[in-house]
Amino acid sequence: MSHDITHNEIGHDHHDHKPKGFVKRWLMTTNHKDIGTLYLVFALAMFILGGAMAMVIRLELFQPGLQFIEPHFFNQMTTMHALVMIFGAVMPAFVGLANWMIPLMIGAPDMALPRMNNWSFWILPFAFTMLLATFFMDGGAPAGGWTMYPPLVLQGGHNVGFLVFAVHMMGISSIMGAINVIATIMNMRAPNVGYLNMPLFVWTWLITAFLLIAVMPVLAGAVTMVLTDRYFATSFFNAAGGGDPVLFQHLFWFFGHPEVYIMILPAFGIVSEIIPTFARKPLFGYVSMVYATAAIAFLSFIVWAHHMFSVGMPLGGELYFMYATMMIAVPTGVKIFNWVATMWKGSMTFETPMLWSLAFVVLFSIGGFSGVMMALAPVDLQYHDTYFIVAHFHYVLVTGAVYGIIAGVYYWLPKWSGHMYSERLGKIHFWWSTISVNVLFFPQHFLGLAGMPRRIPDYSTQFAEFNMMSSIGGFAFGLAQVFFVYIVWKTVRGGEKATDQVWDDAKGLEWTVPSPAPYHTFEEFGPVDLDKMAHGKIH
Amino acid sequence: MQQNKQTVKNNNHKILRRGVLASVLMVGFGFALVPLYDVICDITGLNGKTGVLAAENVTEQNIDHTVVVQFDGTVNSDLPWSFKPEQFSMEVVPGKLYHTEYVALNQSKADVTGQAIPSVAPAKASIYFSKTECFCFTEQLLTAGEKKQMPVTFIVSPDIPKDIDVLTLSYTFFNKNRMTAEQQVAGNASHEEIEI
Amino acid sequence: MKKAQMKFMMLITGLLASSMAVAEYGLNLRRGVTEYSQTAYGLHTLTLWICIVIGVLVFGAMIVSIFTHRKSKGYKAEQFSHSTVAEVIWTIIPIIILVVIAIPATKALIQMENPTDDSGKRMKMDLTIKVTGYQWKWKYDYMEDGISFLSTLDRDHNIARQKGSNIDVNTIENYLLEVDNPLVIPVDTNIRFLLTADDVIHSWWVPDFGWKRDAIPGYINEAWTNVKTPGIYRGQCAELCGKDHGFMPIVVEALSKEDYAQWLAEQKGEQAEEAELVQTEWTKEQLMAKGEEVYNAQCGTCHQASGAGMPPAFPALAGSEFVNGPATDQIDLVLNGKPGTAMQAFGNILSETDIAAAITYTRNSFGNTAGDVVQPATVKSMKQ
């Protein structure tokens, strides 16, 4: 695996040389911008696919009674919706943003390991082909929930093998992406860029990458045990053979809890870039932001069993996991307060990226509040596995992670494409999404509190009104994202030329290169102008 | 500049090697959690599995409070047996050895091997509950229609906290014949046809 | 709990109830009917209000900032970028708030795991009920009294919930929350639940009791409750357990102690009667009537009410060679299950009478023409 810096050597004379032909340009690319684009396009496709599954779910839940699909297919939908959204949409979108932006933000010519970069992307389409192929098999797709708890997951027939190998491939892809990010950040910064000069997006991704390397292998190990339990008569999780199904839950959530931070920390980074730009004011408490991110990452390793309060742990264990979980509110709170302090006494304008970021702060906080409530083990015995948790994690993942990604896309799209998106369409997209997403998820809090369990295809008539409301919100939100695809498409194809600076006063090295960003940037690999960086001088 | 690029490249590869090594180690860590979990469960009684005690290590002591021990037998629906304790509950003095029996009956027309898995509720009581003799240590073969007494000898530790005044020893009998690899695969494949 | 704290909690609870009057509309958590559920409700209310207050402050500051510190109003940005004092304050204050929440939460958790009675002493067990989760029904064992029965989704509900049933589910009372045999318990009794499962993990949850607890195959879990108010309480399985996870409700009927004693006596009588009935000769009509009932409750989920099954997983009984073949083979299969398939062994789950009736029903329904009758005594003899 040799490092492909040769690009730069050839590329010296004619600056923007791109390989000709689809295969050379995309299949064999080692260019961080092209790979970033591939990741983002893939993520968008998966977002639409996962969204379509969500529409099927909301359609069936529109009214009590089974109208459209059978319960078994419903379970396949919920399971695959989660897997596609988590591993197909949110994580690849962040890797795509990392690919595009990290080298541009730290003055690096490319990612550190460009060929591996190509490989880590191109594994993904194969992984998802394998996973989605199960829909066409006897017995259908995995239907045991994305959490894959045995013994239920083992009843899935032969989709178990496909599921496990698909997860393995996604894991390998993520780990390679993470190693690449770490090598790039630690090794490829322009010579005069220190760690504490790095933009927050780079910082959050560095920490995320360490989380990925630490936990994806544990998931790989856990699903491998599921595989051997299924096909080779081992008994890791089989009580009859002396195993313990609860052990899987411990292993899974040892991965699963850091995983939820993997899906939110880069969004924190994006928002921390956007708010200062549109408040025309430096980010408040840069260093404490870095520490808070690291603290959240550390805490994420020691709180996993808060997903399992109902399995019957000893009192001491429950108390410990409750306290540790509550602690996460402190660094998360610091972040939110810092964002508000960044806005305070700024000179704000409200372009589309800023609107998404502001909505992120508010709606993610709502998800954070329900998170604190669920940290309390005694009440979690009520909230657990109801629509309350469904509302909670959609607030942190949709209006958190996805909002962060969309904000980032609007913020950097002019740099990528060289065209300004339509501010009017962007605002319509924002308000349409934000109103509908609340109609979609807010009533789910009430459903959960009233006693509606999650993952059920049909429900008692007392839950009918809120489910209908939620479904209407869901359809509207789904349609809004199709509109988003249109806006992106339109912007890429043409529109008002973007300036190099794009946003007045925006800090960051990415704004020092032309728009659209040329195929090769920072080829000289020398010192950069620290004055152009948000944290080049101050702390 | 060329020199510099070579250094960068070498460093990149160093990070790559370390990253790969770290991932491999973490896979190992994942698997190491399996025995680690057993150890933690032994110490804390996390999952309610019971301890084993050699009979010669038992020293009887007199304690002034008693504990109600309930006996429960569950038969997994894969196993065509009936399985019940002789008596439902017993008041025991911690530190003394007690003996009880379960009765198992093979109701089918075939020989079947079963394996009993013990579990104690509340889980925190499990570390204070030890068996010196138990049918759960080995697989049990019952011929068609065979009835068998299955003895258990146990002791509740004198260290048991006073707030535990009732605990349940529950056995679940599973069908061991269903545990071979081939049948396991078939057994889990719910979509495969029942040959009727 | 100290008096002052109690008053504070009640004040907050009262505020919520009066200002929103939400409980009746199913917007808020249920108060429930056990001491524990009330504690959980109080804690929920306390935390909710703390979150609302913090939310109002933080979002309020944002809104003020958004409306005043904007470029369109000509506001000039200041350039401060940190303040140690502010950062220390907003680290410390959340910690204090969390401690304030953690204290009652710790107490509540201790109450859940080491429940105490009204006098503050460790709860003494009066009654042990074992709950076993099956795909997709519950089995209840009254351990002291030796009574045992299955509890499945009520037949009318089961028919209505099928896709294409053309039944307006709004016309069905407590849709999906009704069972054939509810769990009956006495009030003011310390009940110790033991929970386990047969196939996959289930979770037993009655919101009015304030907790859910997982039922895990091979393991036994414990949870306590003491219901204060007679009534009917409904819940559902809370852990995804396969196809019909949404269709295994829980109904608990809490009776006064006298009514419970009477119910218990009836049950014991019925089970004794049942044992006697096994020995008696049943007519075909009797078996068919009972068989239809048993079949729809126990077999219809997979083999369908029409006997058409859902091949390949659940084969059709209608027109099946096997069902129209020798009765003894069918009895053996139902008693002992079919290795490697979803067909359970029903020998320990259903009574001999139920099995005999269900088999008779399948052999003479859905166009099947075996024509014979399977007597409970025959089933009993084949069990040994």
Side-chain angles (χ1 to χ4, degrees):
Chain A
M1 228 176 297
S2 91
H3 170 33
D4 204 344
I5 257 172
T6 42
H7 256 320
N8 307 333
E9 284 140 30
I10 308 162
H12 271 313
D13 318 353
H14 36 120
H15 246 264
D16 214 17
H17 94 292
K18 296 184 177 90
K20 295 260 174 339
F22 181 83
V23 171
K24 276 205 162 163
R25 170 77 194 272
W26 298 109
L27 235 55
M28 294 159 69
T29 182
T30 54
N31 179 287
H32 75 102
K33 299 186 184 76
D34 279 355
I35 295 173
T37 305
L38 286 172
Y39 265 114
L40 287 167
V41 169
F42 179 78
L44 190 59
M46 287 294 133
F47 182 56
I48 297 301
L49 178 66
M53 294 177 189
M55 294 302 105
V56 174
I57 294 168
R58 283 315 328 169
L59 183 66
E60 183 51 64
L61 292 174
F62 187 71
Q63 282 183 340
L66 289 175
Q67 290 86 16
F68 301 99
I69 55 174
E70 293 292 346
H72 184 62
F73 188 71
F74 183 89
N75 290 345
Q76 296 177 32
M77 282 289 118
T78 53
T79 304
M80 295 295 276
H81 164 70
L83 289 169
V84 166
M85 284 301 199
I86 291 167
F87 293 105
V90 173
M91 290 171 69
F94 281 135
V95 182
L97 290 169
N99 257 293
W100 251 103
M101 300 318 298
I102 288 175
L104 284 182
M105 285 175 148
I106 59 174
D110 202 312
M111 293 295 277
L113 304 153
R115 287 190 196 169
M116 193 170 82
N117 203 10
N118 172 295
W119 196 19
S120 64
F121 171 75
W122 280 108
I123 287 178
L124 279 181
F126 292 94
F128 278 88
T129 306
M130 257 177 83
L131 185 64
L132 295 167
T134 55
F135 271 118
F136 305 101
M137 291 174 190
D138 227 6
W146 85 279
T147 47
M148 302 178 274
Y149 282 5
L152 181 62
V153 71
L154 299 172
Q155 294 184 339
H158 289 298
N159 65 36
V160 178
F162 284 83
L163 171 66
V164 168
F165 285 127
V167 169
H168 279 161
M169 285 161 77
M170 295 166 200
I172 290 170
S173 163
S174 296
I175 289 167
M176 291 199 299
I179 292 175
N180 218 336
V181 165
I182 291 172
T184 307
I185 296 173
M186 291 179 66
N187 213 21
M188 303 282 285
R189 276 171 290 126
N192 59 339
V193 175
Y195 282 112
L196 283 177
N197 298 124
M198 296 194 310
L200 220 80
F201 178 67
V202 179
W203 256 116
T204 51
W205 238 115
L206 179 63
I207 291 166
T208 303
F210 279 109
L211 287 181
L212 277 168
I213 291 186
V215 301
M216 290 307 293
V218 176
L219 175 69
V223 295
T224 307
M225 294 178 214
V226 168
L227 187 80
T228 60
D229 270 10
R230 169 71 177 77
Y231 290 100
F232 304 108
T234 57
S235 292
F236 288 104
F237 310 126
N238 179 358
D244 185 349
V246 176
L247 170 62
F248 177 85
Q249 302 184 16
H250 283 289
L251 290 175
F252 182 85
W253 288 113
F254 184 84
F255 146 81
H257 201 75
E259 168 70 14
V260 304
Y261 292 106
I262 287 166
M263 290 190 283
I264 199 64
L265 293 184
F268 287 169
I270 294 167
V271 168
S272 304
E273 300 300 322
I274 294 173
I275 292 177
T277 295
F278 296 97
R280 291 166 182 76
K281 191 164 156 284
L283 181 69
F284 187 91
Y286 169 77
V287 179
S288 67
M289 284 299 224
V290 173
Y291 282 125
T293 310
I296 292 171
F298 170 74
L299 287 171
S300 75
F301 283 106
I302 57 169
V303 296
W304 75 89
H306 68 215
H307 296 267
M308 306 162 51
F309 282 135
S310 68
V311 300
M313 271 182 286
L315 178 63
E318 288 183 323
L319 284 175
Y320 161 74
F321 283 109
M322 176 170 82
Y323 297 148
T325 306
M326 290 169 80
M327 287 299 298
I328 297 180
V330 176
T332 313
V334 166
K335 283 190 158 287
I336 288 167
F337 299 138
N338 281 350
W339 287 322
V340 176
T342 306
M343 296 170 213
W344 193 255
K345 298 200 170 170
S347 176
M348 277 191 272
T349 51
F350 303 92
E351 285 86 348
T352 308
M354 182 63 161
L355 289 176
W356 288 93
S357 301
L358 294 175
F360 170 95
V361 175
V362 173
L363 299 175
F364 175 80
S365 300
I366 291 175
F369 287 140
S370 53
V372 172
M373 294 171 76
M374 280 184 299
L376 306 174
V379 211
D380 185 60
L381 295 179
Q382 288 278 39
Y383 305 142
H384 180 70
D385 268 340
T386 67
Y387 261 81
F388 194 77
I389 176 93
V390 176
H392 161 75
F393 64 66
H394 282 101
Y395 264 91
V396 293
L397 287 178
V398 177
T399 60
V402 173
Y403 265 46
I405 292 164
I406 294 177
V409 169
Y410 279 112
Y411 187 55
W412 286 309
L413 191 57
K415 178 58 65 187
W416 302 336
S417 68
H419 303 129
M420 289 305 287
Y421 60 87
S422 158
E423 199 59 59
R424 194 174 60 90
L425 295 187
K427 283 192 169 122
I428 292 172
H429 176 216
F430 169 76
W431 286 109
W432 182 359
S433 296
T434 302
I435 291 167
S436 58
V437 85
N438 282 292
V439 177
L440 165 57
F441 293 121
F442 207 80
Q444 296 185 355
H445 288 113
F446 304 134
L447 286 172
L449 293 174
M452 178 169 162
R454 67 191 281 206
R455 293 165 164 168
I456 57 172
D458 193 6
Y459 47 82
S460 186
T461 45
Q462 57 177 310
F463 306 127
E465 286 81 7
F466 283 130
N467 267 301
M468 188 178 283
M469 201 187 286
S470 181
S471 286
I472 292 169
F475 302 144
F477 185 73
L479 207 57
Q481 305 327 309
V482 177
F483 184 54
F484 175 56
V485 176
Y486 166 73
I487 295 173
V488 172
W489 175 251
K490 190 166 172 283
T491 311
V492 172
R493 292 296 297 272
E496 190 194 330
K497 281 288 294 164
T499 60
D500 295 352
Q501 175 62 34
V502 184
W503 312 110
D504 44 274
D505 300 333
K507 294 274 194 167
L509 292 178
E510 71 264 40
W511 311 116
T512 64
V513 303
S515 297
Y519 205 57
H520 297 293
T521 40
F522 298 106
E523 287 171 281
E524 289 313 314
F525 201 62
V528 292
D529 183 358
L530 288 179
D531 283 333
K532 302 281 191 216
M533 296 186 78
H535 313 287
K537 287 283 159 66
I538 30 167
H539 11 259
Chain B
M1 214 54 201
Q2 200 56 39
Q3 183 65 35
N4 195 356
K5 273 179 186 163
Q6 196 53 45
T7 327
V8 167
K9 193 168 159 179
N10 289 343
N11 285 341
N12 285 342
H13 286 187
K14 198 158 83 190
I15 293 171
L16 172 63
R17 280 193 298 274
R18 286 186 186 164
V20 171
L21 182 69
S23 324
V24 172
L25 288 177
M26 284 311 291
V27 175
F29 174 74
F31 278 90
L33 284 174
V34 177
L36 195 66
Y37 178 74
D38 285 340
V39 171
I40 292 171
C41 289
D42 277 349
I43 298 169
T44 62
L46 186 64
N47 64 355
K49 285 205 174 166
T50 54
V52 180
L53 204 61
E56 58 270 22
N57 292 341
V58 175
T59 46
E60 299 206 348
Q61 282 172 271
N62 278 324
I63 299 293
D64 57 347
H65 71 117
T66 58
V67 178
V68 173
V69 178
Q70 299 177 334
F71 302 97
D72 168 51
T74 305
V75 188
N76 187 266
S77 57
D78 259 356
L79 184 69
W81 291 9
S82 80
F83 170 67
K84 286 192 184 80
E86 290 257 88
Q87 68 182 117
F88 166 60
S89 78
M90 217 185 239
E91 194 161 350
V92 308
V93 177
K96 281 203 156 84
L97 269 178
Y98 288 86
H99 183 85
T100 187
E101 284 187 353
Y102 279 73
V103 189
L105 169 70
N106 182 351
Q107 297 170 329
S108 77
K109 292 184 290 185
D111 300 353
V112 183
T113 308
Q115 168 85 56
I117 302 294
S119 177
V120 166
K124 66 179 173 189
S126 62
I127 49 172
Y128 305 103
F129 187 91
S130 312
K131 291 162 292 177
T132 57
E133 185 196 0
C134 179
F135 52 87
C136 57
F137 299 151
T138 53
E139 292 173 8
Q140 303 286 331
L141 172 74
L142 292 190
T143 54
E146 186 186 349
K147 193 174 191 173
K148 195 173 179 182
Q149 298 289 117
M150 297 191 169
V152 188
T153 310
F154 65 92
I155 184 167
V156 175
S157 160
D159 303 329
I160 191 164
K162 290 227 166 159
D163 65 345
I164 303 177
D165 46 22
V166 54
L167 64 88
T168 305
L169 171 65
S170 172
Y171 288 101
T172 306
F173 245 111
F174 290 93
N175 191 336
K176 203 68 187 175
N177 295 32
R178 300 265 169 95
M179 289 296 301
T180 62
E182 199 190 331
Q183 280 168 324
Q184 174 105 3
V185 170
N188 291 328
S190 64
H191 67 276
E192 268 158 61
E193 191 152 7
I194 302 174
E195 295 134 36
I196 277 186
Chain C
M1 202 179 289
K2 286 203 193 81
K3 266 205 172 147
Q5 267 176 332
M6 196 73 164
K7 271 188 185 159
F8 179 63
M9 286 267 219
M10 279 164 71
L11 181 75
I12 280 173
T13 313
L15 261 175
L16 184 80
S18 57
S19 63
M20 292 183 171
V22 287
E24 294 94 313
Y25 298 101
L27 280 169
N28 200 2
L29 196 65
R30 294 189 222 185
R31 266 165 209 268
V33 288
T34 63
E35 202 185 318
Y36 180 76
S37 70
Q38 314 268 352
T39 311
Y41 179 81
L43 191 56
H44 159 78
T45 310
L46 171 74
T47 324
L48 181 61
W49 276 105
I50 289 175
C51 288
I52 289 173
V53 170
I54 298 172
V56 167
L57 292 176
V58 175
F59 303 153
M62 262 181 86
I63 289 166
V64 169
S65 185
I66 286 169
F67 281 99
T68 52
H69 308 141
R70 51 163 67 210
K71 199 182 176 192
S72 57
K73 286 198 175 164
Y75 199 91
K76 289 274 178 291
E78 294 189 16
Q79 291 300 312
F80 62 86
S81 70
H82 61 273
S83 152
T84 312
V85 178
E87 287 172 55
V88 168
I89 288 173
W90 63 51
T91 308
I92 304 273
I93 288 180
I95 292 177
I96 294 169
I97 293 171
L98 288 174
V99 171
V100 168
I101 301 173
I103 293 167
T106 305
K107 287 182 181 160
L109 200 54
I110 292 171
Q111 192 189 336
M112 176 69 202
E113 299 302 337
N114 298 319
T116 49
D117 57 21
D118 295 337
S119 62
K121 286 215 184 95
R122 182 73 168 84
M123 227 185 229
K124 292 271 179 230
M125 175 199 57
D126 299 322
L127 187 61
T128 314
I129 295 175
K130 181 172 147 195
V131 179
T132 313
Y134 290 84
Q135 280 176 326
W136 294 276
K137 51 193 162 246
W138 298 98
K139 186 181 175 198
Y140 299 114
D141 286 279
Y142 292 70
M143 304 288 277
E144 285 87 353
D145 299 298
I147 295 174
S148 163
F149 55 84
L150 285 173
S151 181
T152 54
L153 180 66
D154 181 85
R155 193 186 157 205
D156 293 340
H157 296 241
N158 199 25
I159 292 169
R161 66 105 172 166
Q162 300 296 333
K163 195 178 128 203
S165 70
N166 290 325
I167 296 171
D168 180 6
V169 297
N170 290 301
T171 59
I172 297 177
E173 212 181 332
N174 296 313
Y175 175 56
L176 293 185
L177 298 177
E178 195 70 80
V179 295
D180 51 359
N181 304 306
L183 174 68
V184 178
I185 57 168
V187 295
D188 295 321
T189 306
N190 298 328
I191 300 170
R192 182 162 170 264
F193 285 101
L194 297 172
L195 303 111
T196 187
D198 185 69
D199 30 43
V200 299
I201 301 173
H202 302 267
S203 190
W204 199 81
W205 180 39
V206 177
D208 284 317
F209 294 177
W211 49 264
K212 59 177 70 67
R213 186 125 287 181
D214 291 359
I216 303 165
Y219 290 83
I220 193 137
N221 248 325
E222 181 199 73
W224 294 70
T225 208
N226 185 326
V227 177
K228 303 284 178 203
T229 334
I232 294 175
Y233 306 107
R234 296 168 200 278
Q236 280 176 275
C237 176
E239 178 67 52
L240 179 62
C241 58
K243 178 170 81 74
D244 285 347
H245 162 57
F247 308 99
M248 51 183 291
I250 296 154
V251 179
V252 180
E253 214 177 319
L255 300 179
S256 69
K257 284 185 171 173
E258 299 75 44
D259 290 348
Y260 174 75
Q262 197 186 338
W263 175 85
L264 194 65
E266 275 170 24
Q267 287 297 309
K268 284 182 173 168
E270 260 176 41
Q271 298 218 335
E273 213 172 280
E274 173 97 22
E276 214 161 273
L277 280 176
V278 172
Q279 303 305 333
T280 53
E281 191 82 1
W282 287 56
T283 69
K284 188 170 178 181
E285 286 67 38
Q286 284 173 318
L287 283 168
M288 288 294 282
K290 183 157 182 75
E292 187 180 5
E293 211 175 278
V294 175
Y295 178 85
N296 284 316
Q298 306 299 339
C299 321
T301 338
C302 298
H303 294 294
Q304 303 296 295
S306 64
M310 295 166 73
F314 312 115
L317 303 185
S320 154
E321 271 179 40
F322 183 81
V323 175
N324 289 302
T328 45
D329 290 356
Q330 196 186 352
I331 298 169
D332 186 52
L333 183 108
V334 174
L335 279 176
N336 302 322
K338 175 87 180 167
T341 67
M343 182 67 190
Q344 293 173 337
F346 283 90
N348 287 318
I349 300 175
L350 297 177
S351 73
E352 288 86 2
T353 319
D354 285 351
I355 291 173
I359 292 174
T360 307
Y361 176 72
T362 59
R363 297 175 72 78
N364 297 288
S365 307
F366 330 124
N368 291 343
T369 52
D372 53 358
V373 165
V374 173
Q375 289 296 339
T378 317
V379 176
K380 192 169 167 61
S381 71
M382 281 193 59
K383 255 182 149 179
Q384 279 140 31

